[in-house]
Amino acid sequence: MSADSPSPVERFETSLDALEVSVTRVEPRTFDEALRDVVLDPETVVGTPLPFDSVSLPDWVDDEPTPATLEAATTGVTAASLGVADYGSVVLPGTPDGSEPVSLFQDLHVAVLRRSDLVGDMRTAIERLGPQLREGHSAIVATGPSATADMGALVKGAHGPKDVHVLLLEDGGAADE
Amino acid sequence: MSSDTGRGAKADRIRHLLETEGPAVEANTLGFNQGRYDSVADLEDYEALKAEARAIKEDAIERLPELLEELRETVEENGGTVYLADDAADANRYIRELASENEAERVVKSKSMTSEELEVNEALEADGVDVVETDLGEWVLQVADEAPSHIVAPAIHKSREEIARLFNAEFDPEEPLETAEELTMFAREQLGELIREADIGMTGANFITADSGTIMLVTSEGNARKSAVVPDTHVAVAGLEKVVPSVEDLAPFIELIGRSGTGQDITSYISLLTPPVDSPVVDFDDPDVAFADREDDRDFHLVLIDNGRLELREDDQLRETLYCIRCSACANTCGNFQSVGGHAFGGETYSGGIATGWEAGVHGYESAAEFNDLCTGCSRCVEACPVEIDIPWINTVVRDRLNRGGEDGQFDFLYDELVPDEESGGPALQKRLFGNYETLAKLGSATAPVSNWMAGLGPVRTLMERTVGVDSRRPLPAFQRETLRNWHEKRGSRVSAADANREVVLYPDVYTNYIDVDRGKAAVRVLEALNVHVRVPDVPGSGRAPLSQGMIATADEKASRVYAALAEHVDAGRDVVVIEPSDLAMFRNEYEKLLPEQSFERLSDVSYEVLEYVYGLLENGADPTALRTDGPELAYHSHCQQRTLGLDAYTRAVFDELEYDVLESEVECCGMAGSFGYKEQYYELSMDVGERLAEQFTTPEASDRLVVASGTSCEDQLDDLLARDAVHPVEVLDPRSRHH
């Protein structure tokens, strides 16, 4: 790659911009504040615990969601295990604590992605996923909000979130080229 | 078998669809198709990606039994069950038993064409199970009680207004629904309620990996995610051809499938589910138990369907059908599909170009026969297909087999004289007429102008329409008494072989030799102006005409005779120059299937489209000043097969180099496609497809330009549509050209 070609982070941001998905770069120490800025209503946020050392969900997020709280919430916060720069995709692992429904049922999904988990292209992402899927795990490669054109025009939020926001966590690691 | 009344009924049905569903289908497919072009242009190496995808499917189908065994073991290790169903009835029996064991009252489904093939909804409903389609388009059709008209966007034929009328009548909401947003949110709410009470979720699978037991689902709405995860029981139904060896094999398909289909770089959700999944059941009967505290025992059943696929795998001509990833590119790029959609261009389940292979394979030839003739062989889908399936060939093979399955002995002796083909079965009269066009042209030319005068008589046209279905609204081409070969023989070559830069054989295709002799003369003069010695030997028709009617044996015989007539010239180092792109496409493409490999390679290596050849001469230093360079502004339509071969660029480059002002069409095909536009049952469809081209050439910017087209059919169609003469590019460059 030549010196002046955009970095994976820049490409990721460009891809997300094209999808009308907002992305915020955050430092671990300002994570709570950044999250509070993007959620729809801090009173109705569900999430699943983030598997990261540098940050965890603030206490105003319901991190033990139930079907009832899932239904009442407006924002869902979950971790992404990978990001794909070329497409603006985030990879969402399905976990026993309910990341899949939490990322799917709310009007807004906030995906938390470590910068070091960003890869350049789809092939690399799938290579990373291979061993995990072979161990029996599942994941969604999610790119932008839920959408449909079935009713005559493009509408966001067909069955899943109307909006997606990516919090890109600066955690000192270098992104893969 | 076609008949006068059969053709009339078909024309009526097509006319009805053109009027009712045509506009919505056209707007949507044109959008998808343009999206595909834009999206694949962003890929660094699209061709390599397609070749890789193709190789993966070839390998997977080759090793299918072994992969199915591996998949079974993997899924069972994961805790799921695999059932290999012989046919639809077998699959439905298994799924009904499952529903019964689970005391299921409701099954929620995400979109799956394979489940349409099974008609599993009807099977479950017969047992009193409520089946709900959760894909918004599928749900619209379920409410309307209609069949999908497109394999990816099932309700493509319905406008927003129609959906609003349907919902308002069916559900009587407090406030009438109107906008797409309102309709979508209403559907989301209704379906959300239905999903939360569901007992079983049913999905299809776009791909299944043997190494991990993962099913990949390509969706945008999120309903497949909900269907698979909310209930505790997941049934995935899929054709057994969906298996690929490993997770890593999915990468090229993830990049290609959305781009090829609806023109999206990627759809919102690529689900990679390895069931039974880790995610908790979303049980609204237990609303206050945290997901993390649940102990779910999920149940997963993978129902793999054979239903004719293993037989397709053994079929050397149709096997490629199994490589299909159901992206819909072949439908979206097809001129005829763009006009009528899948309700005409489809069988019991599948629609679009590749549907002929699927229908012949899973439902039988009769279902394929319904719509097989709508493939004109224009070949635009070949370039669009992400797994490089030769879809026109599949259509041709099925047409050939349908011909052979036809009734014998219905043709009288006289007619057999007129149609000296190699067909042992009984292609319909109309097909044999067009398939043997060369014989007709010879006769017509020998008896011109009487033949033309006869053919122009009202009663004769009426008779032709009634007996063989040649539409009387379509002007017939006029045969020339002096053929191109006669003219050239009398005139002789003006550039001696000794002085010439190159020596070529100008292939006297049937149309150029007997009808549009002028473009042949222009080609000779253009080549001579570039110091080429031109020969016009006696070479038979390429076989394109019989092939297009599904008469493969006749086309095969023609190919052998063409090669025999040209072999000596090829050996003598002469190039073969072809005016008609559909004939060149035979030499470069279909002959691979009709000639021995070596013969095919020798001929195709030295065969060139005439403007491609002119381009090569100019690139190699030929002097362009002898060509006409002060010509008029042009409106140019390149031929569909010419573009699939990548040859349109040469015409463009030559016009560019000679500083012509050219406006180029953007449609996939003119709609004429050889004999197609002459057929009574397809005349209106052909004109409807042509209308898109006519629109582009009647804009203020285009309406004063000289209309130029590379193909015979395109010229005829443009003549008819615009009432302006269309000419071949060589006629523009001809030093003696008077076209302006």
Side-chain angles (χ1 to χ4, degrees), chain A residues 80-92:
Chain A
S81 61
L82 289 169
V84 187
D86 282 352
Y87 286 87
S89 310
V90 288
V91 175
L92 309 174

PDB file of all heavy atoms in Angstrom, chain A residues 80-92:
ATOM      1  N   ALA A  80     -18.456  -5.483  19.114  1.00  0.00           N
ATOM      2  CA  ALA A  80     -18.158  -6.088  17.815  1.00  0.00           C
ATOM      3  C   ALA A  80     -16.792  -6.757  17.935  1.00  0.00           C
ATOM      4  O   ALA A  80     -15.892  -6.210  18.563  1.00  0.00           O
ATOM      5  CB  ALA A  80     -18.138  -5.025  16.727  1.00  0.00           C
ATOM      6  N   SER A  81     -16.670  -7.940  17.352  1.00  0.00           N
ATOM      7  CA  SER A  81     -15.390  -8.641  17.470  1.00  0.00           C
ATOM      8  C   SER A  81     -14.435  -8.245  16.355  1.00  0.00           C
ATOM      9  O   SER A  81     -13.223  -8.391  16.478  1.00  0.00           O
ATOM     10  CB  SER A  81     -15.615 -10.153  17.465  1.00  0.00           C
ATOM     11  OG  SER A  81     -16.216 -10.549  16.244  1.00  0.00           O
ATOM     12  N   LEU A  82     -14.965  -7.729  15.270  1.00  0.00           N
ATOM     13  CA  LEU A  82     -14.137  -7.309  14.131  1.00  0.00           C
ATOM     14  C   LEU A  82     -14.835  -6.160  13.417  1.00  0.00           C
ATOM     15  O   LEU A  82     -16.059  -6.053  13.464  1.00  0.00           O
ATOM     16  CB  LEU A  82     -13.983  -8.452  13.111  1.00  0.00           C
ATOM     17  CG  LEU A  82     -13.136  -9.661  13.445  1.00  0.00           C
ATOM     18  CD1 LEU A  82     -13.384 -10.753  12.393  1.00  0.00           C
ATOM     19  CD2 LEU A  82     -11.646  -9.280  13.469  1.00  0.00           C
ATOM     20  N   GLY A  83     -14.046  -5.348  12.735  1.00  0.00           N
ATOM     21  CA  GLY A  83     -14.605  -4.362  11.811  1.00  0.00           C
ATOM     22  C   GLY A  83     -13.957  -4.589  10.460  1.00  0.00           C
ATOM     23  O   GLY A  83     -12.815  -5.062  10.385  1.00  0.00           O
ATOM     24  N   VAL A  84     -14.673  -4.277   9.391  1.00  0.00           N
ATOM     25  CA  VAL A  84     -14.124  -4.467   8.042  1.00  0.00           C
ATOM     26  C   VAL A  84     -14.091  -3.111   7.342  1.00  0.00           C
ATOM     27  O   VAL A  84     -15.136  -2.542   7.004  1.00  0.00           O
ATOM     28  CB  VAL A  84     -14.978  -5.466   7.224  1.00  0.00           C
ATOM     29  CG1 VAL A  84     -14.296  -5.788   5.900  1.00  0.00           C
ATOM     30  CG2 VAL A  84     -15.241  -6.740   8.015  1.00  0.00           C
ATOM     31  N   ALA A  85     -12.876  -2.605   7.128  1.00  0.00           N
ATOM     32  CA  ALA A  85     -12.712  -1.245   6.615  1.00  0.00           C
ATOM     33  C   ALA A  85     -13.377  -1.049   5.251  1.00  0.00           C
ATOM     34  O   ALA A  85     -14.080  -0.071   5.027  1.00  0.00           O
ATOM     35  CB  ALA A  85     -11.232  -0.896   6.526  1.00  0.00           C
ATOM     36  N   ASP A  86     -13.181  -2.002   4.334  1.00  0.00           N
ATOM     37  CA  ASP A  86     -13.695  -1.840   2.972  1.00  0.00           C
ATOM     38  C   ASP A  86     -15.214  -1.675   2.921  1.00  0.00           C
ATOM     39  O   ASP A  86     -15.736  -1.033   2.013  1.00  0.00           O
ATOM     40  CB  ASP A  86     -13.360  -3.075   2.119  1.00  0.00           C
ATOM     41  CG  ASP A  86     -11.918  -3.057   1.664  1.00  0.00           C
ATOM     42  OD1 ASP A  86     -11.242  -2.035   1.885  1.00  0.00           O
ATOM     43  OD2 ASP A  86     -11.458  -4.074   1.096  1.00  0.00           O
ATOM     44  N   TYR A  87     -15.900  -2.277   3.851  1.00  0.00           N
ATOM     45  CA  TYR A  87     -17.358  -2.304   3.784  1.00  0.00           C
ATOM     46  C   TYR A  87     -18.041  -1.498   4.890  1.00  0.00           C
ATOM     47  O   TYR A  87     -19.244  -1.282   4.841  1.00  0.00           O
ATOM     48  CB  TYR A  87     -17.858  -3.759   3.845  1.00  0.00           C
ATOM     49  CG  TYR A  87     -17.637  -4.517   2.561  1.00  0.00           C
ATOM     50  CD1 TYR A  87     -16.444  -5.184   2.315  1.00  0.00           C
ATOM     51  CD2 TYR A  87     -18.607  -4.528   1.565  1.00  0.00           C
ATOM     52  CE1 TYR A  87     -16.222  -5.866   1.123  1.00  0.00           C
ATOM     53  CE2 TYR A  87     -18.408  -5.210   0.374  1.00  0.00           C
ATOM     54  CZ  TYR A  87     -17.214  -5.878   0.148  1.00  0.00           C
ATOM     55  OH  TYR A  87     -17.010  -6.538  -1.026  1.00  0.00           O
ATOM     56  N   GLY A  88     -17.324  -1.119   5.925  1.00  0.00           N
ATOM     57  CA  GLY A  88     -17.982  -0.489   7.062  1.00  0.00           C
ATOM     58  C   GLY A  88     -18.795  -1.492   7.866  1.00  0.00           C
ATOM     59  O   GLY A  88     -19.779  -1.135   8.516  1.00  0.00           O
ATOM     60  N   SER A  89     -18.393  -2.759   7.800  1.00  0.00           N
ATOM     61  CA  SER A  89     -19.131  -3.803   8.510  1.00  0.00           C
ATOM     62  C   SER A  89     -18.586  -3.981   9.921  1.00  0.00           C
ATOM     63  O   SER A  89     -17.396  -3.761  10.157  1.00  0.00           O
ATOM     64  CB  SER A  89     -18.988  -5.150   7.792  1.00  0.00           C
ATOM     65  OG  SER A  89     -19.275  -5.029   6.429  1.00  0.00           O
ATOM     66  N   VAL A  90     -19.460  -4.390  10.830  1.00  0.00           N
ATOM     67  CA  VAL A  90     -19.015  -4.849  12.144  1.00  0.00           C
ATOM     68  C   VAL A  90     -19.446  -6.298  12.311  1.00  0.00           C
ATOM     69  O   VAL A  90     -20.518  -6.684  11.842  1.00  0.00           O
ATOM     70  CB  VAL A  90     -19.582  -3.985  13.296  1.00  0.00           C
ATOM     71  CG1 VAL A  90     -18.908  -2.618  13.318  1.00  0.00           C
ATOM     72  CG2 VAL A  90     -21.084  -3.829  13.187  1.00  0.00           C
ATOM     73  N   VAL A  91     -18.602  -7.096  12.927  1.00  0.00           N
ATOM     74  CA  VAL A  91     -18.928  -8.502  13.136  1.00  0.00           C
ATOM     75  C   VAL A  91     -19.462  -8.658  14.559  1.00  0.00           C
ATOM     76  O   VAL A  91     -18.784  -8.291  15.526  1.00  0.00           O
ATOM     77  CB  VAL A  91     -17.691  -9.394  12.905  1.00  0.00           C
ATOM     78  CG1 VAL A  91     -18.007 -10.847  13.240  1.00  0.00           C
ATOM     79  CG2 VAL A  91     -17.218  -9.259  11.456  1.00  0.00           C
ATOM     80  N   LEU A  92     -20.690  -9.160  14.662  1.00  0.00           N
ATOM     81  CA  LEU A  92     -21.369  -9.248  15.955  1.00  0.00           C
ATOM     82  C   LEU A  92     -21.502 -10.714  16.355  1.00  0.00           C
ATOM     83  O   LEU A  92     -22.300 -11.443  15.761  1.00  0.00           O
ATOM     84  CB  LEU A  92     -22.762  -8.615  15.850  1.00  0.00           C
ATOM     85  CG  LEU A  92     -22.810  -7.194  15.255  1.00  0.00           C
ATOM     86  CD1 LEU A  92     -24.269  -6.759  15.078  1.00  0.00           C
ATOM     87  CD2 LEU A  92     -22.064  -6.202  16.155  1.00  0.00           C
TER      88      LEU A  92
END
